[in-house]
Amino acid sequence: MTQHRIWRRAAQVGICVLWLGLTGCGGGGGGSDNTPTPPAPPTVSKLSGTVTYDSVPATQNGLEYASTKKLPVRGAVVEAYDVSGSVLTSTHTDKTGAYQLELKPGSQVKIRVQARLLQTGSWDVAVRDNTAPAYAIKPDTAPVYALVSSSHNMDEASKVLNLHAASGWLNGKYAAARSAAPFSILDQAYTAMQKFRQEVPDLQFPALNIYWSINNGPSDGKKSDGDIETSHWSSDASDEGLYILGKANSDTDEFDTGVIVHEWGHYFESKLSRSDHIGGSHGAPEDSVDPLDMRVSWGEGWGNGLAGVIRSDPIYIDTMGTAQKSLGVYMDVAQFPTSTDDRSWYSEPSVQYFVYQIAQNPGGWVATVRTMLNEQRVTPAYTSIFTFAAGLKNHLPTSSFAAVNALLDSINTPRLEAVDPWANSAFYQTPTRNGQQPVYISLNTSPVEVCVSNSYSYPEEENKLDQFRFLRLAIVEKGTYRIDMQPSGTALPNSEPGIIFSNGDVDNNLSITRDFDKGDHRMVFSDGLILQGDSSKKFNSCYMIQANKE
């Protein structure tokens, strides 16, 4: 095994190259008058081969290196370049990992396989090193991982060169370059895009950078140092992309395929559908019920369920720890939530179960894809299981309605006939939450009580059920409106009420004047003390809110 420096620091990308059929031609002896005329030299020299990578299965016992399999590197860019570094020709591997290049006979070339999927008008996905110096200057110029062969003289009409990206695991530790990791990550993106393209063949995926490094660990700091906290999707323009953990004996995710697809699902929401996810931790300590803000339960449940659908495997595993033998997460997304308190729209397990099971029904997957690309993208309400179900009914075959309604019944969510993007407030109210308040409260000219609570929060968490109350303002006539807030009997002393508008604007004035276009508008009410207060002390904060045209 040799190590090569290509677009990045040494010792982080390696290659294992197997040469086949590359024996040279022997020299000739004395001639004679009857010597046959030698054949004309070839006009083209063909170089072909297969590219593979080590795939280490994630199990209940952590990563099982002894069960490593060789899988094809699919759709990756393959280039031949000369001694000056100029690319002579390029192609991409097919679904079996095979490639073929046509070169000028006698060319002295190296073969480079990028951890990149590039197809004009379809996709551009690259796995890059966020700890390389270029990242700190401009993230999307960070080097792309690659396999590189040794120099080779194309002195025959056809030759075979197979390349393999190894895991680097030797004698119970990572002792060699971990060249398989970028290709394992890349392959999950390939699988996901192909699954969506089964239903929408001409679907174009916005460019995606995936940042991975052996230095990426669960620390808070600079991403350029590898301190990424956790594997995640960043939608920030300054550092947009997927960030994947890779720090050995701490937390690595390159072979945790469910985690990779989950994060890819956030990218899909952000770039091709819509996500109103507010971030934050999810999954309560010791696997207790974790009632979430509905934007969070939807986004996280979507990612988990999608991971099961894309991989055709409902088992979601996140490995970590010494030798990658511990489990951060092990769950079956096809499993019905065991706790009755965890069966609702605010539950991540309920949403993941619903997303996964929908795809098992006839027409369910295509309906999911069309809903995410259409209704979920343009809904006036906040993205949630309600907006998804409201759109889903427009695409499901009627023969699947009964099965889908049974799923909705099981997680205490309105049926297809009743659900709307606003949760159908007249039909459905939050059970035992702040006096049966609706999921959305409609504002009008008469004051209406709006309450928030820290009943389900724990320290430093700002994404739990009831910490925010969703408001709907239906504007019949475009114009300037005033929203007034007055404390009711249960308002907290020294409270910090405020409204967060759909564009992210926050206004903490008790009287807010704002221009609105005709149509439905979403917004959120909260109290800063609910978010900042001592979660060991449970309390509500209520205000009377009304909206009037100026």
Side-chain angles (χ1 to χ4, degrees), residues 353-506:
Y353 169 77
F354 180 69
V355 169
Y356 179 82
Q357 295 296 347
I358 286 293
Q360 313 310 311
N361 282 273
W365 173 242
V366 64
T368 294
V369 173
R370 291 174 179 171
T371 300
M372 293 298 290
L373 293 174
N374 294 284
E375 290 87 349
Q376 192 79 340
R377 183 173 59 86
V378 299
T379 179
Y382 288 104
T383 53
S384 68
I385 193 172
F386 302 117
T387 56
F388 177 74
L392 194 69
K393 63 186 176 185
N394 298 325
H395 305 289
L396 275 174
T398 54
S399 58
S400 292
F401 269 47
V404 174
N405 278 336
L407 288 173
L408 289 167
D409 286 344
S410 71
I411 57 172
N412 299 308
T413 301
R415 289 186 166 200
L416 295 172
E417 297 84 356
V419 71
D420 66 17
W422 307 95
N424 195 339
S425 297
F427 167 84
Y428 190 75
Q429 302 210 344
T430 313
T432 68
R433 314 291 186 234
N434 291 326
Q436 297 289 321
Q437 288 204 324
V439 176
Y440 279 90
I441 295 178
S442 293
L443 299 184
N444 50 54
T445 57
S446 298
V448 60
E449 188 175 46
V450 179
C451 298
V452 290
S453 169
N454 70 344
S455 296
Y456 303 100
S457 63
Y458 41 89
E460 300 179 1
E461 295 298 330
E462 298 183 4
N463 64 358
K464 305 308 177 188
L465 178 67
D466 282 356
Q467 288 179 314
F468 300 95
R469 185 61 58 192
F470 304 104
L471 307 176
R472 178 186 185 182
L473 178 59
I475 299 297
V476 176
E477 181 182 357
K478 178 181 177 179
T480 301
Y481 287 77
R482 190 182 74 252
I483 301 173
D484 293 312
M485 298 186 289
Q486 293 296 328
S488 70
T490 56
L492 295 172
N494 304 315
S495 61
E496 301 174 5
I499 288 182
I500 306 170
F501 294 92
S502 60
N503 65 353
D505 289 349
V506 181

Side-chain angles (χ1 to χ4, degrees), residues 17 76 126 251 283 321 341 350 486 544:
V17 180
D251 200 344
D341 290 335
S350 285
Q486 293 296 328
M544 304 301 295

Side-chain angles (χ1 to χ4, degrees), residues 154-210:
M154 296 300 297
D155 55 0
E156 293 185 5
S158 62
K159 296 188 177 184
V160 176
L161 171 62
N162 297 331
L163 295 94
H164 178 69
S167 71
W169 188 260
L170 297 170
N171 300 320
K173 63 181 180 179
Y174 282 124
R178 293 160 60 184
S179 51
F183 293 98
S184 175
I185 295 167
L186 191 73
D187 206 36
Q188 307 318 309
Y190 179 90
T191 300
M193 293 189 299
Q194 293 293 338
K195 181 70 172 178
F196 276 84
R197 278 206 153 194
Q198 289 177 5
E199 308 305 339
V200 185
D202 60 350
L203 184 60
Q204 298 182 20
F205 294 89
L208 170 63
N209 288 310
I210 305 176

